[in-house]
Amino acid sequence: DVKVTQSSRYLVKRTGEKVFLECVQDMDHENMFWYRQDPGLGLRLIYFSYDVKMKEKGDIPEGYSVSREKKERFSLILESASTNQTSMYLCASSFQGTSNYGYTFGSGTRLTVV
Amino acid sequence: AQKITQTQPGMFVQEKEAVTLDCTYDTSDQSYGLFWYKQPSSGEMIFLIYQGSYDEQNATEGRYSLNFQKARKSANLVISASQLGDSAMYFCAMRESTGFQKLVFGTGTRLLVSP
């Protein structure tokens, strides 16, 4: 069964900590994405990557960075976590080009920054 | 820029009834794709149905159908014969037709199905 795996379902971190959220996909997808989901705001794109070592800013990249050293792995980094980064983080992947299936998503990581 | 609007924060339906979740979109592109996803309490986003802008027929997948009205820029999801397991968040999304073809999501509708 193909899947996108996020390393943690729940995380609690302290303000100022450096936080790594990991995402791995086994579908050989070129594209990978990080979204954050907040009530009333839907899903907002933080960063995405269309190839190894390539990255593009999404709509809300401030306070975040990403790393993609291997095709299957896409990491989201919070350099210095703040309470306003408490949220649900969703990773997704897709093939390049048009697709009738959109993205495949992971189960999400619910991050709380205290 | 593309935009998706879901005006219903929450919807209630009784089991076995049909329900329509609204979605309107804004784009100047002629070619685009529209998606609906379901997010149960477990958190994972589950793909439900897809409609291409050039598709003449409304998409259907089992109990799900997409009421596509291109002139009105609406893409409503219809769930027939609701089941308790349909209780979840539902997101409408549109794929950009240019650049990296990212998905743009609406704010979602929470559906509660009661016995």
Side-chain angles (χ1 to χ4, degrees):
Chain A
D1 193 17
V2 294
K3 62 174 51 176
V4 175
T5 302
Q6 294 183 232
S7 53
S8 304
R9 290 299 306 274
Y10 299 93
L11 274 180
V12 180
K13 296 293 182 180
R14 294 195 179 276
T15 300
E17 275 193 75
K18 190 169 186 176
V19 181
F20 293 85
L21 303 184
E22 306 287 346
C23 176
V24 177
Q25 52 97 0
D26 64 1
M27 294 165 285
D28 203 33
H29 284 166
E30 295 90 0
N31 298 336
M32 296 188 75
F33 307 85
W34 276 105
Y35 286 85
R36 68 176 279 176
Q37 180 183 356
D38 300 289
L41 297 177
L43 277 71
R44 294 178 293 166
L45 182 63
I46 305 171
Y47 267 98
F48 67 99
S49 169
Y50 54 91
D51 201 352
V52 174
K53 297 190 186 295
M54 306 304 290
K55 61 186 179 183
E56 292 285 336
K57 292 180 180 179
D59 301 316
I60 52 164
E62 296 78 19
Y64 304 94
S65 62
V66 291
S67 173
R68 192 167 181 200
E69 295 296 319
K70 294 184 177 181
K71 189 175 186 179
E72 67 270 19
R73 185 179 297 269
F74 192 35
S75 303
L76 179 68
I77 304 157
L78 287 65
E79 296 289 343
S80 177
S82 63
T83 55
N84 63 13
Q85 293 177 310
T86 292
S87 186
M88 172 74 132
Y89 290 87
L90 288 164
C91 176
S93 68
S94 73
F95 286 115
Q96 284 181 358
T98 58
S99 162
N100 291 358
Y101 296 97
Y103 299 170
T104 302
F105 282 87
S107 296
T109 295
R110 192 168 293 280
L111 173 67
T112 302
V113 183
V114 298
Chain B
Q2 277 103 343
K3 185 178 179 182
I4 293 283
T5 302
Q6 295 181 254
T7 57
Q8 306 156 313
M11 289 286 285
F12 295 90
V13 67
Q14 276 204 310
E15 204 176 3
K16 299 180 185 176
E17 291 185 350
V19 62
T20 298
L21 306 184
D22 294 341
C23 172
T24 58
Y25 59 92
D26 186 20
T27 182
S28 56
D29 293 335
Q30 297 300 310
S31 175
Y32 49 88
L34 296 158
F35 300 80
W36 277 92
Y37 287 86
K38 172 185 178 181
Q39 187 183 43
S41 56
S42 60
E44 186 174 354
M45 298 281 280
I46 301 167
F47 165 76
L48 293 179
I49 196 166
Y50 166 81
Q51 180 84 41
S53 58
Y54 292 117
D55 295 342
E56 295 185 353
Q57 303 275 356
N58 285 343
T60 61
E61 290 286 348
R63 294 186 299 110
Y64 304 108
S65 61
L66 200 152
N67 184 0
F68 181 46
Q69 298 188 40
K70 195 170 182 177
R72 298 180 62 183
K73 293 189 175 178
S74 74
N76 298 339
L77 178 70
V78 180
I79 305 174
S80 63
S82 298
Q83 301 173 355
L84 296 178
D86 293 334
S87 293
M89 282 290 288
Y90 289 81
F91 290 94
C92 181
M94 179 167 59
R95 181 180 59 221
E96 298 177 338
S97 60
T98 56
F100 296 101
Q101 301 180 336
K102 304 185 299 294
L103 286 187
V104 176
F105 287 84
T107 53
T109 296
R110 182 171 297 280
L111 176 67
L112 183 61
V113 181
S114 59

